[in-house]
């Protein structure tokens, strides 16, 4: 077992897995090969009909590939394969794509290739990685986040897209792809992560000179605050960059981000708000930050010494137990499991609602605890 947890916690994780299996099998049969985002009255709609390359459109396939890996049931594989094929049009259309190629193609094509050896999916993943690499800005040395109208912006979330480049670099023996990922991670060390372990969401660069300009507010409360999903991207993203490069600075940064996250979560009884630096009232929760951070903490625990692991593993379990205790819908007749996910602080429409990536990271974390996951990143 990669993670040492108490027998009580192991039995709890096994019980959660049993519930996940029942719920996700029912969902898979009902929902099929669509790209769900936020359910409407307990029912998923197909986000692909509005935007084929919306950044969350890979997560349902990611859930299905994790389920296939854990159960070997063909239903999951066949459904995930169909989603992967649908995304081909997004590569062909090209112009709608932004930096979230990792979220989209790691969870579909690359997962497929890793689990089944599908050569067409390998090509899809390499194609997506090439497009991601093409977003690298030599002036400033970062991967551009968004498109026309939002020039010069780099964001913390992109740390989670870098594993697509690490994978493609390894596949093609192309150190240039890896260097692009490293340059972006180095930029994040300098301009995204703060010395106290908190982080910015956005960085604005001058597009011509690459000069750093400022850190505008993003999806959190305000500029200088502490958007918790961004904090979780920092923990997990830096731990992943360490996995693929063994650069000590990334491990140190992941630890600093983790200590900050754990301290803030602990004083909130492991119920994670949308922003750690926002007014006491109203309290807005973001469960997606909690479950993503739990995965990042478990990832990080794999790279530290024996007597350091416990801090990260125990904190991950506390975050996950809180989710199970307060924020799960186990009714197999409704779509989605984890409630109270939040897209951004200042937008009511996706505040404290179930969001597909909350379910993905919850599943990944539970499977990690039981050593039944596979590394999708
Ligand atoms: N990648 C966008 C987000 O975390 O909301």
């Amino acid at each position: 077992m990669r993670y040492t947890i108490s027998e009580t916690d192991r039995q709890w994780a096994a019980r959660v897995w049993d519930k996940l299996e029942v719920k996700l099998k029912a969902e898979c049969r009902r929902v099929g090969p669509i790209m769900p985002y936020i359910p409407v009255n307990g029912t998923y709609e197909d986000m692909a009909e509005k935007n084929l390359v919306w950044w969350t459109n890979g997560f349902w396939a990611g859930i299905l590939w994790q389920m296939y890996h854990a159960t070997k049931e063909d239903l999951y594989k066949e459904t995930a394969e169909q989603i992967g094929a649908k995304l081909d049009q997004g590569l062909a259309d090209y112009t709608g794509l932004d930096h979230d190629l990792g979220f989209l193609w790691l969870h579909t094509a690359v997962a497929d290739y890793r689990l089944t050896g599908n050569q067409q999916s390998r090509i899809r993943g390499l194609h997506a990685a090439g497009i991601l690499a093409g977003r690298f800005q030599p002036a400033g040395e970062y991967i551009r986040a968004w498109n026309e109208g939002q020039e010069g912006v780099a964001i913390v979330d992109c740390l989670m897209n870098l594993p697509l480049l690490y994978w493609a670099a390894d596949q093609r023996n192309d150190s240039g792809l890896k260097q692009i990922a490293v340059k972006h991670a180095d930029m994040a060390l300098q301009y995204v992560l703060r010395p106290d372990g908190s982080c910015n969401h956005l960085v604005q660069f001058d597009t011509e000179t690459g000069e750093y300009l400022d850190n505008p507010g993003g999806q959190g409360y305000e500029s200088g605050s502490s958007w918790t999903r961004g904090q979780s991207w920092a923990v997990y993203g830096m731990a992943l960059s360490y996995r693929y490069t063994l650069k000590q600075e990334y491990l140190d940064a992941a630890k600093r981000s983790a200590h900050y996250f754990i301290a803030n979560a602990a004083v909130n009884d492991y119920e994670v708000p949308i922003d750690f630096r926002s007014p006491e009232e109203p309290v807005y929760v973001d469960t997606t930050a909690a479950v993503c951070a739990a995965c990042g903490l478990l990832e990080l625990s794999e790279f530290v010494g024996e007597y350091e692991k416990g801090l990260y593993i125990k904190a991950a379990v506390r975050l996950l137990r809180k989710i199970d205790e307060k924020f799960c819908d186990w009714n197999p007749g409704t779509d989605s499991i984890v409630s109270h996910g939040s897209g951004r602080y200042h937008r009511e429409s996706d505040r404290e609602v179930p969001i597909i990536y909350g379910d993905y990271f919850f599943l990944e974390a539970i499977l990690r605890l039981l050593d039944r996951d596979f590394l999708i990143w």
Side-chain angles (χ1 to χ4, degrees):
M1 284 286 188
R2 272 134 77 211
Y3 311 114
T4 304
I5 56 176
S6 69
E7 188 48 32
T8 312
D9 285 337
R10 188 163 313 285
Q11 285 176 11
W12 161 78
R15 284 196 302 276
V16 175
W17 163 245
D18 288 344
K19 292 187 282 186
L20 283 164
E21 219 188 334
V22 171
K23 175 101 184 190
L24 289 170
K25 187 177 283 188
E27 259 186 29
C28 185
R29 289 197 175 119
R30 184 172 58 242
V31 169
I34 67 166
M35 301 183 191
Y37 177 38
I38 294 171
V40 178
N41 300 322
T43 302
Y44 278 139
E45 297 178 342
D46 193 358
M47 188 61 183
E49 288 171 6
K50 291 188 188 142
N51 179 357
L52 176 61
V53 290
W54 177 239
W55 78 277
T56 67
N57 282 1
F59 283 107
W60 176 231
I63 288 173
L64 299 173
W65 284 120
Q66 289 286 3
M67 291 301 290
Y68 174 65
H69 176 263
T71 67
K72 301 291 172 279
E73 288 186 35
D74 283 339
L75 170 72
Y76 298 119
K77 172 173 166 280
E78 286 158 12
T79 312
E81 282 169 344
Q82 291 176 63
I83 298 170
K86 283 188 192 179
L87 268 182
D88 285 351
Q89 192 58 46
L91 285 178
D93 291 346
Y94 180 81
T95 50
L97 297 171
D98 62 21
H99 72 126
D100 283 327
L101 289 126
F103 284 118
L104 288 164
W105 274 276
L106 284 170
H107 284 248
T108 53
V110 179
D112 184 7
Y113 171 66
R114 281 171 163 157
L115 292 179
T116 73
N118 181 334
Q119 290 301 314
Q120 193 186 356
S121 284
R122 178 175 178 270
I123 302 297
R124 290 169 169 141
L126 292 174
H127 193 166
I131 298 173
L132 182 58
R135 300 185 67 86
F136 182 71
Q137 305 295 301
E141 301 193 322
Y142 62 93
I143 294 173
R144 177 180 176 174
W146 298 308
N147 297 326
E148 291 83 352
Q150 290 170 300
E151 292 83 359
V153 178
I155 69 175
V156 66
D157 323 30
C158 192
L159 292 174
M160 297 301 289
N161 291 317
L162 301 185
L164 180 62
L165 295 176
Y166 294 128
W167 169 78
D170 183 54
Q171 288 290 312
R172 306 293 317 262
N173 199 20
D174 182 341
S175 62
L177 292 172
K178 186 172 179 181
Q179 282 161 21
I180 287 174
V182 166
K183 290 278 183 203
H184 185 90
D186 287 348
M187 177 285 300
L189 286 180
Q190 192 173 357
Y191 297 117
V192 175
L193 276 60
R194 308 184 188 121
D196 66 358
S198 69
C199 72
N200 297 297
H201 183 193
L202 312 183
V203 190
Q204 180 70 56
F205 292 98
D206 182 294
T207 53
E208 293 298 321
T209 65
E211 182 196 354
Y212 162 81
L213 297 177
D214 68 351
N215 297 105
Q219 284 161 240
Y221 182 66
E222 62 185 359
S223 172
S225 69
S226 175
W227 174 51
T228 52
R229 196 162 59 259
Q231 303 294 155
S232 70
W233 296 144
V235 176
Y236 203 172
M238 278 295 162
L240 287 167
S241 270
Y242 179 75
R243 170 182 283 278
Y244 292 111
T245 64
L246 300 180
K247 260 187 94 164
Q248 184 63 36
E249 294 95 318
Y250 300 158
L251 184 61
D252 293 342
K255 286 168 75 170
R256 214 165 55 238
S257 304
H259 301 160
Y260 173 85
F261 197 102
I262 293 168
N264 279 275
V267 296
N268 287 299
D269 196 23
Y270 294 90
E271 200 168 305
V272 176
I274 300 178
D275 197 312
F276 285 135
R277 293 180 184 161
S278 57
E280 292 270 310
E281 296 288 340
V283 179
Y284 295 136
V285 172
D286 183 10
T287 52
T288 71
V291 288
C292 175
C295 291
L297 293 169
L298 292 174
E299 174 74 4
L300 170 56
S301 75
E302 296 187 32
F303 307 120
V304 299
E306 189 187 344
Y307 302 118
E308 282 185 87
K309 291 180 189 294
L311 169 67
Y312 307 114
I313 297 171
K314 283 180 194 159
V317 170
R318 297 289 281 271
L319 289 162
L320 296 166
R321 290 196 82 136
K322 178 61 70 174
I323 297 294
D324 179 41
E325 196 183 299
K326 276 192 77 170
F327 299 109
C328 282
D329 171 5
W330 295 116
N331 175 359
T334 56
D335 295 338
S336 85
I337 298 165
V338 180
S339 69
H340 288 71
S342 295
R344 58 194 305 143
Y345 191 95
H346 295 287
R347 188 168 61 201
E348 207 179 332
S349 61
D350 61 352
R351 204 163 52 212
E352 300 196 325
V353 295
I355 313 182
I356 188 71
Y357 47 90
D359 285 11
Y360 173 78
F361 286 108
F362 187 55
L363 173 67
E364 182 191 303
I366 296 297
L367 288 174
R368 275 178 178 265
L369 290 178
L370 299 171
D371 235 347
R372 296 184 68 173
D373 63 305
F374 86 101
L375 187 68
I376 219 159
W377 305 101

